Amino acid sequence: MIAATTLAASPARSTDIKELTTRQGVKAWLVEENTVPVIAVEIAFRGGTAQDPADKGGVVSLMAALLDEGAGDMDAEAFQETLEEKAIELSFSSNRDTVTASLRTLPENLDEAFSLLGAALSRPRFDDDAVERMRGQIAAQLRRAALDPDDLAGRTFFAEAFPGHPYGRPSRGTVESLAGVRRDDLVEAHRRLVARDSIVIGAVGAVTPDRLTALVESLLDGLPERSEMTPVPTVEPQGAGRTEIVTLDVPQSSIIFGRPGPLRNDDDFIPAYVVNHILGGGSFSSRLFTEVREKRGLAYSVYSHLAPYDHAGLLYGGVATRNDRAGQSIDLIQAEIRRIAEQGPTTEELASAKKYLIGSYALRFDTSTKIANQLTQLQLDHFGVDYITRRNALVDAVTIEEVKAAAKRLFGDGALLVVAVGKPTGLEGARIRAPGGTGDEPAATPPESNAR
């Protein structure tokens, strides 16, 4: 394994970003860094688990999990042994909008690392034994997650917020849907999603632009030119003003709340990001933390978060509290949301939020892997190589008038879709249901922000 390596970096290093264009017309972003003996590469393919057929839930997640389980003429054991012998870290994952590959290697093993990456992307084996082993592992995770309060709250929330939409389905499918996935389904999902026109690439480390371009071109030669994705409609989350209780015999309630939020390319995303930091995104300094934990001791943690997916914008938050304090906690959260919507933040809160958001931005660039992730995400968000140098200025330029207007648009009348798992009391007018089905990815942890 490769030890974690710190790369002294800051937003100012964005001037070092080189945008490369391959002969296939695909762009890759590179930060050439020769002082650190590690090369980090992040690759994303647009599409993700939202591309699961309605009757084949979990196929994309399972396909991604199998990409390093044998490729070309190497079965799973031989493939993994080669990675270990060469100290190459290679992994694949998926979320609602992307399938991703993460590569870390030493410069002397870069050619072989890209050869293995290319084989995994273009010639995965999907051997029967590997398929059954990974299906069994994911099914076991889903069974454990089925009655996990945090997971159950998140899964129920997305089902209620996005009824009839791919975002409303469990990203990893269910035990039942996974059982119906066949090898042909995996091959078809791979063919539809892993293609040149849906790829974005970010790389950091001791590699020249010419060498990286040649390596990427060789990788792309093995991929089809075009993906065949099913259109996913852009929707607004539903259910604001409704409360759902999923009964579970646990001593505290796990609660997820949310309402519509901005898309990443909305003009007022940055002001909304700033005002949400003041409400619940600022950890120990946020209004929700101060009111819910510090003043009243109702919960250990409480947060709110902007989650701009490709096809929906979401304001999303959570709190865990004793069952008998659930109603009081949600009442207080909604009151704070209504107050900030009506009055907006103070000038002192705005100044403090901007100072923190500007000062902490460099922490997103303190390792080579983080930088590679940022390079990939910026491309997914359709930003240019200059965004990193512009981002802090965009935050600093937010005025009190803009942040107050953003608060009104973001928080509106304060109505929330609330999902509580446990035996909560004090949630008037809630619909009560018993737990059922299987789990999705843990959702009590805030999803990664795209506020680059």
Side-chain angles (χ1 to χ4, degrees), residues 28 32 73 144 168 188 229 231 246 279 283 373 412 417 432 440:
E32 187 177 358
D73 59 359
R144 288 194 298 271
E188 177 66 6
M229 286 184 279
V246 181
L279 174 73
S283 184
N373 272 319
L417 169 61
I432 300 175
D440 193 10

Side-chain angles (χ1 to χ4, degrees), residues 402-419:
E402 288 173 333
V403 83
K404 286 183 175 181
K408 289 184 181 296
R409 287 191 296 268
L410 180 62
F411 303 122
D413 61 0
L416 300 172
L417 169 61
V418 177
V419 173

Side-chain angles (χ1 to χ4, degrees), residues 284 286 288-300:
F284 302 111
S286 73
L288 293 185
F289 188 89
T290 299
E291 296 296 327
V292 174
R293 174 176 167 168
E294 291 296 298
K295 290 185 177 180
R296 295 169 178 82
L298 296 175
Y300 179 76

